[in-house]
Amino acid sequence: MPVFRPKYITFDCYGTLTHFQMAERAKEILGERLSPEKLATFIRNFSAYRLDEIMGDWKPYEEVLVSAYERTCKRNDVAFDLAEARSFYEAVPTWGPHPDVPAGLAKVAKEYPLVVLSNAMNSQIMSNVEKLGAPFAHVFTAEQANAYKPRFRAFEYMFDQLGCGPDEILHCSSSFRYDLMSAHDLGIEHKVWVNRGHEPANPYYGYTEIADISGLPAVVGL
């Protein structure tokens, strides 16, 4: 089979490229206040509420995190503190890439234009992208699209800006729920799942699995 040569390679950023550290931040805040079992439950609930918060109309990501944290505190009988909630948002631009990312991206960037589609704010995302160690042709945010993934509108905004269709890109993500399920439904045939242990495999959605970004060059024939 010939290797698919996409017009663009598109990426989720947080979790896939950038080391997403919401759980680590929760441990810093609550590690001495909750038992390990209760802390694990809190972190799992916080992740679920963050997803729930972005399924409607767009709102600033700080509001997403504050509301998700407040709802998680209520569910887990933890006192809510607004400063703690805001600290999650403030931490985001400080996060750097997974160790495997810079070298893997640099190799594919020599042959393909790279694109980020991120559930991010314009004021934060470039701090993360600049740490990735490779040039990006385009960086698109939920703020620009006025929609968060997994909503189709976010992907459709990217297609419109790039002037291409779902059959012309290769989309890479570590998340089925945020990216790969929607990509499948939108007709993005060429997908890469970066298995960072966030979610179990789900072959129904059709993808090439790699353990980390060091495996991406081989997918596109490099």
Side-chain angles (χ1 to χ4, degrees):
M1 293 291 292
V3 173
F4 174 62
R5 297 187 62 84
K7 187 174 181 180
Y8 297 97
I9 302 179
T10 61
F11 296 87
D12 166 61
C13 187
Y14 298 133
T16 302
L17 302 179
T18 295
H19 181 199
F20 194 65
Q21 299 176 61
M22 290 290 175
E24 288 86 343
R25 181 63 187 142
K27 291 175 183 177
E28 291 173 3
I29 294 171
L30 299 169
E32 295 184 358
R33 292 154 55 186
L34 298 178
S35 69
E37 294 77 13
K38 289 184 176 180
L39 180 60
T41 298
F42 188 99
I43 290 170
R44 185 170 60 251
N45 293 160
F46 188 33
S47 176
Y49 278 121
R50 291 198 307 272
L51 177 60
D52 186 66
E53 283 287 328
I54 63 173
M55 297 304 288
D57 293 337
W58 181 86
K59 58 186 175 184
Y61 194 55
E62 183 174 13
E63 293 182 19
V64 168
L65 292 180
V66 168
S67 182
Y69 188 70
E70 184 173 21
R71 294 169 71 191
T72 307
C73 286
K74 180 179 180 181
R75 179 169 173 179
N76 291 270
D77 196 26
V78 171
F80 171 73
D81 183 286
L82 181 58
E84 290 179 353
R86 286 175 171 165
S87 76
F88 287 93
Y89 180 78
E90 294 162 356
V92 171
T94 70
W95 297 338
H98 292 284
D100 54 273
V101 167
L105 285 185
K107 190 169 183 178
V108 294
K110 294 177 182 179
E111 298 290 336
Y112 297 96
L114 309 184
V115 177
V116 158
L117 177 63
S118 178
N119 283 354
M121 296 291 289
N122 299 339
S123 62
Q124 292 190 313
I125 187 63
M126 292 314 299
S127 177
N128 303 108
V129 171
E130 289 165 0
K131 297 177 177 68
L132 297 177
F136 278 78
H138 303 278
V139 177
F140 301 123
T141 68
E143 184 176 3
Q144 294 166 0
N146 206 33
Y148 289 99
K149 300 177 296 179
R151 295 194 62 193
F152 291 177
R153 184 172 179 175
F155 290 90
E156 289 167 341
Y157 174 83
M158 179 178 70
F159 295 146
D160 289 345
Q161 296 302 307
L162 294 177
C164 70
D167 59 328
E168 297 177 277
I169 70 168
L170 174 70
H171 189 65
C172 303
S173 177
S174 60
S175 174
F176 291 98
R177 298 185 77 180
Y178 279 93
D179 283 83
L180 297 179
M181 290 180 179
S182 295
H184 171 273
D185 292 343
L186 285 166
I188 301 176
E189 181 179 350
H190 300 282
K191 300 178 289 296
V192 170
W193 177 46
V194 186
N195 184 358
R196 298 209 184 272
H198 306 319
E199 302 168 11
N202 195 331
Y204 172 82
Y205 291 99
Y207 51 82
T208 298
E209 179 181 343
I210 58 177
D212 57 47
I213 297 299
S214 68
L216 182 60
V219 176
V220 289
L222 300 178

